Amino acid sequence: SVLRSMASLLGHRGPDGQDVFTDGAVGLAHSRLAIFDLSDRGVQPMSFLNERYWITYNGEIYNFLEIRETLEKKYKFASDTDTEVILAAFSEWGVDCVDKFNGMFAFAIWDAKEKFLHLFRDRFGVKPLYYYFDGRIFAFASEIKPLFEFPGVTRRVNPECLAMYLRHGFSSYRSQTLFADVLQLPPAH
């Protein structure tokens, strides 16, 4: 219910459907903006390789057709989305797949076999990725507001960022944000 509530707060950015995936204590939610494949084959969170990899993704990979052409020699695609190309590229090249992407993106891939979550953000930080981590619980979203739906995340102000905002107009400073409990994944991470 927390994931669905978080996703509903992003409905303005993705009005074409919402879905949730859970695997034990791990969950991914997505509010979809359908661009390349308007069918249900493009629903996220999307899985790949017999549900080993799961993705939630915000952005656009401009060269996904070229990457797909390379990967079609080895992988069969079920959709016409850049999302599925990201999953195939991750399967083929691991975390180095991002070196092949020309685009703007922030995405998370859950490896259900290795039980490992990977987060990625484009080189220039065009697409945002915010997170909360208290040493035990980790939550992330493409906007700050949904993180407040997660138990334990407070709206405490970060005084250092507030001063930077009032002085220079910056709303984030390094990986910090205006909220003490919420950080931002830096560009190219």
Side-chain angles (χ1 to χ4, degrees), residues 61-156:
I61 306 298
Y62 306 129
N63 62 334
F64 85 95
L65 291 174
E66 292 87 2
I67 296 169
R68 179 183 171 131
E69 188 175 310
T70 299
L71 293 168
E72 281 179 326
K73 297 170 183 130
K74 187 172 180 180
Y75 299 100
K76 182 174 172 30
F77 290 87
S79 75
D80 295 322
T81 65
D82 55 349
T83 307
E84 190 176 19
V85 172
I86 293 170
L87 285 165
F90 182 81
S91 177
E92 185 68 17
W93 300 300
V95 296
D96 294 333
C97 68
V98 294
D99 296 335
K100 302 194 181 293
F101 299 154
N102 175 10
M104 54 180 180
F105 54 84
F107 60 90
I109 293 180
W110 169 246
D111 183 336
K113 180 179 177 185
E114 297 295 324
K115 303 294 184 198
F116 198 88
L117 180 69
H118 302 266
L119 298 178
F120 301 88
R121 190 164 178 219
D122 65 76
R123 292 167 191 84
F124 297 106
V126 175
K127 293 296 181 181
L129 202 155
Y130 299 98
Y131 67 95
Y132 162 80
F133 181 59
D134 68 3
R136 187 178 65 86
I137 294 178
F138 180 81
F140 65 94
S142 60
E143 290 184 10
I144 294 173
K145 188 176 177 181
L147 290 174
F148 296 132
E149 294 295 303
F150 206 86
V153 181
T154 71
R155 295 175 190 244
R156 286 184 307 122

Side-chain angles (χ1 to χ4, degrees), residues 36-62:
F36 293 115
D37 187 334
L38 306 181
S39 75
D40 287 343
R41 296 174 305 181
V43 169
Q44 292 185 51
M46 180 184 284
S47 68
F48 192 74
L49 286 185
N50 295 320
E51 300 187 352
R52 174 177 179 176
Y53 300 117
W54 287 86
I55 188 171
T56 183
Y57 157 62
N58 177 27
E60 185 175 351
I61 306 298
Y62 306 129

